[in-house]
Amino acid sequence: MKNNIFLIGILYFLISTTGFAQQWTEPVNISNSTENYNYDPKFCIDSNGTIHCVWRYVVPWHTELSRIYYSKSLNDGESWGEPEIVNKDEENAALYEPAIAVNSKGDVAIAFTKGGDYSLSYICLAHKQANKWQEDTISQGFPGSMLPLITCDNNDIFFLLWFHSGPYGDIYYRKIDDGFNISPIFDMLVDSNLNLAIGNLFFDKQNKLHFTANHNQYLSQSQDTRTAYYVFDFDQCEMINIFGSMQTPYSMVCIDKALNPLVSWKQVCNYLLHNYDCYCSQQLNGQWGEPILIADSVHDYSMCMDNRGKIHFLITSGTENKRTSSLYYYASGEFGWELSYLDDSESFFTHVQSAYYNQSLFIIYEDCSYDGDTINKYSNILFRKTDLISSCGDEKPPKGEINIYPNPFRGKLHINGFFGMGGTTLLEIFTYDGILVFSDQLETAEEGTFNYSWNGETSSGTKLQEGIYLLRLRSGESMVCKTIISIN
């Protein structure tokens, strides 16, 4: 543990001096007055820039009881209103899975699951009327409803979707207009292999709904679960593609201005250790690209797209049994993924959410700590933002600039960028006391671009030990060096 803290401390210094232009605000505690048992935050931003956040609060020492809290910020997250209890009569009940959406008028709709037993649970919708929260039951007649997702379409109609765990499972939805009149229940008529809708809902400019779901090829709840991407136009729901080579418990989708979808997913890489990797794939000209590894050892992640079509990932890494983790930011650049390091402490960062608005990136996440050696977690909801003026813009990096990700890395390291002008480039890896452990020759294009992946092994095929190393590229008289960190 001490070695990991030492490595992370050095990593913070190295990354903070390598030219990342993002300046993140200091964390603001949204849930400060709610006794530090706060989980599963969701948020959205309205057309006036007001940030609306909802989360689940667990009653101390009664983990089967909880409340749903809401707060908003009028000043880009610098300060937040006093948290309000959303659920009916401010009662303590078994409440889970909050979701939130806002229309163009600033009306907020909050959905959540009620009922500790998933075989009897149902979906609730809360909204404010005469300055008081009102609650409606949405899934009447469907006990066993769970995991609501809510968003607003281009016509200011709220769209509330949920999963019902019937014989094979199915998805139902209701529409809510700006007067909070609720439609009948509709069946989305998705294929019977669907297990669970997850991640997010996304309406494109044609008012078609895009979402991802867990898809079980053999109608089981086991390791055959894959990510499926669906498009719903209110006449039919069509499955577009299936992703993942192993079990995928979570996924998201976003659409660029040209209506090209990008799907990301979290995939099991080791069943015994409960380790996950994060991948994404984008459809261009009707063809899906090969899956791209974004990061390994992922606990949770969030993805959003800015107005230039750049993809932004916020990732919490680590495993819960170690009770520590890190928070990273990945941005898509012309030559790969650019990483910056946001936080590492004795805390365990769990659920993270992100959104792009007005040239800025907003994130809200959990910061958990433990009560000594017990399993009791104390968790606050934190907010941060940054203006998107980064080195991952539209211009090519100058000659000699390379991207390395992830860093720190576990197993595989990706190296790409702009170096040399064609011909052969020598890649060398040294220990910090100067011992050469790996070398290889790689070809660069005439304009100097290259893309290379290294498996983290020495030239003799031995797995690299945990520690700090020096990566060097040489081409003719040109040379560039980078510090890299290997972790186990």
Side-chain angles (χ1 to χ4, degrees):
M1 179 62 186
K2 290 183 178 178
N3 289 337
N4 286 337
I5 294 174
F6 172 73
L7 291 176
I8 292 296
I10 291 180
L11 173 63
Y12 178 81
F13 169 77
L14 292 170
I15 290 182
S16 65
T17 58
T18 55
F20 288 102
Q22 263 79 20
Q23 295 296 318
W24 290 87
T25 59
E26 290 298 314
V28 176
N29 190 342
I30 301 174
S31 57
N32 189 46
S33 62
T34 53
E35 301 182 64
N36 300 339
Y37 287 81
N38 305 283
Y39 305 99
D40 199 11
K42 303 293 185 348
F43 79 104
C44 57
I45 306 171
D46 66 28
S47 57
N48 294 318
T50 302
I51 312 170
H52 305 268
C53 182
V54 66
W55 67 94
R56 174 177 176 249
Y57 165 79
V58 176
V59 178
W61 314 114
H62 297 278
T63 55
E64 74 282 3
L65 300 177
S66 50
R67 306 169 193 154
I68 302 298
Y69 270 101
Y70 162 84
S71 183
K72 67 179 179 180
S73 174
L74 303 175
N75 55 2
D76 274 358
E78 293 182 14
S79 62
W80 291 77
E82 184 68 21
E84 306 172 29
I85 300 176
V86 169
N87 52 284
K88 185 177 181 181
D89 301 324
E90 300 186 353
E91 64 181 348
N92 297 327
L95 308 175
Y96 300 88
E97 304 162 345
I100 188 168
V102 62
N103 64 16
S104 64
K105 298 179 181 179
D107 300 320
V108 175
I110 294 172
F112 52 91
T113 303
K114 179 178 286 189
D117 186 342
Y118 269 140
S119 66
L120 301 174
S121 60
Y122 54 97
I123 305 301
C124 294
L125 172 72
H127 68 280
K128 244 182 181 178
Q129 188 174 40
N131 208 33
K132 184 178 180 181
W133 288 101
Q134 306 292 322
E135 181 182 312
D136 296 295
T137 300
I138 294 296
S139 57
Q140 297 97 328
F142 292 87
S145 296
M146 64 185 75
L147 201 70
L149 298 174
I150 189 167
T151 190
C152 201
D153 72 4
N154 302 327
N155 300 315
D156 264 356
I157 302 297
F158 290 105
F159 185 92
L160 174 53
L161 171 154
W162 71 91
F163 176 73
H164 177 248
S165 55
Y168 298 110
D170 208 346
I171 286 181
Y172 294 88
Y173 70 94
R174 299 183 80 167
K175 296 183 286 185
I176 302 102
D177 65 21
D178 56 3
F180 282 91
N181 300 299
I182 303 173
S183 76
I185 296 176
F186 298 104
D187 188 338
M188 194 172 283
L189 301 176
V190 190
D191 65 273
S192 60
N193 297 78
L194 182 68
N195 172 244
L196 205 67
I198 49 179
N200 65 320
L201 304 177
F202 191 102
F203 275 103
D204 63 27
K205 60 186 179 183
Q206 297 178 348
N207 217 33
K208 292 182 179 180
L209 179 68
H210 303 253
F211 68 97
T212 58
N214 286 344
H215 185 275
N216 289 314
Q217 182 177 356
Y218 303 109
L219 293 180
S220 72
Q221 307 293 322
S222 61
Q223 296 176 355
D224 72 305
T225 301
R226 300 293 183 266
T227 287
Y229 162 50
Y230 293 86
V231 176
F232 182 47
D233 64 3
F234 296 95
D235 287 325
Q236 65 175 353
C237 190
E238 179 183 5
M239 187 179 72
I240 305 300
N241 203 12
I242 295 179
F243 304 88
S245 58
M246 297 182 73
Q247 184 181 6
T248 58
Y250 185 77
S251 56
M252 296 186 72
V253 61
C254 60
I255 314 293
D256 66 17
K257 292 181 178 180
L259 299 182
N260 295 308
L262 183 141
V263 173
S264 62
W265 64 95
K266 190 171 75 169
Q267 176 176 299
V268 170
C269 62
N270 188 311
Y271 286 109
L272 296 178
L273 297 178
H274 302 286
N275 284 344
Y276 300 90
D277 295 335
C278 180
Y279 289 85
C280 74
S281 177
Q282 186 165 20
Q283 187 185 64
L284 296 173
N285 300 319
Q287 300 294 320
W288 288 95
E290 289 295 319
I292 299 172
L293 176 66
I294 306 301
D296 56 10
S297 297
V298 170
H299 180 78
D300 190 34
Y301 81 90
S302 180
M303 172 186 73
C304 63
M305 181 182 290
D306 64 28
N307 62 351
R308 299 178 300 165
K310 300 290 184 180
I311 308 299
H312 304 268
F313 279 89
L314 275 300
I315 291 174
T316 61
S317 69
T319 55
E320 190 162 4
N321 60 347
K322 294 183 179 180
R323 298 187 176 182
T324 59
S325 66
S326 299
L327 177 63
Y328 295 100
Y329 165 56
Y330 291 76
S332 61
E334 187 156 351
F335 299 106
W337 293 94
E338 184 177 274
L339 176 151
S340 60
Y341 161 82
L342 296 187
D343 206 344
D344 184 273
S345 66
E346 293 301 320
S347 298
F348 182 74
F349 303 114
T350 51
H351 300 96
V352 59
Q353 293 283 307
S354 63
Y356 170 80
Y357 175 78
N358 195 25
Q359 306 299 320
S360 294
L361 185 66
F362 299 78
I363 65 169
I364 288 179
Y365 59 100
E366 290 175 23
D367 179 5
C368 298
S369 57
Y370 288 82
D371 180 14
D373 294 328
T374 72
I375 62 172
N376 295 314
K377 289 191 295 186
Y378 302 85
S379 183
N380 288 312
I381 308 301
L382 304 182
F383 167 85
R384 298 179 76 177
K385 70 177 285 277
T386 183
D387 296 327
L388 290 180
I389 46 173
S390 72
S391 56
C392 60
D394 296 327
E395 297 298 322
K396 291 184 178 180
K399 181 178 178 180
E401 181 171 321
I402 61 173
N403 297 318
I404 299 174
Y405 61 96
N407 192 17
F409 70 97
R410 181 184 286 107
K412 183 168 286 190
L413 183 72
H414 302 279
I415 313 155
N416 55 34
F418 189 81
F419 185 79
M421 296 300 290
T424 300
T425 296
L426 179 64
L427 167 68
E428 298 170 305
I429 309 290
F430 297 87
T431 64
Y432 233 59
D433 53 4
I435 300 174
L436 179 66
V437 295
F438 178 82
S439 65
D440 196 8
Q441 290 185 345
L442 53 100
E443 297 297 322
T444 55
E446 291 185 3
E447 66 273 18
T449 58
F450 71 96
N451 196 331
Y452 184 85
S453 294
W454 174 48
N455 62 6
E457 295 181 354
T458 67
S459 296
S460 60
T462 304
K463 182 180 178 181
L464 202 68
Q465 294 183 356
E466 186 174 67
I468 304 171
Y469 294 84
L470 183 70
L471 181 149
R472 183 171 73 181
L473 289 172
R474 289 192 295 163
S475 178
E477 297 182 355
S478 300
M479 183 175 68
V480 64
C481 298
K482 293 283 185 178
T483 301
I484 58 175
I485 296 178
S486 172
I487 58 176
N488 295 329

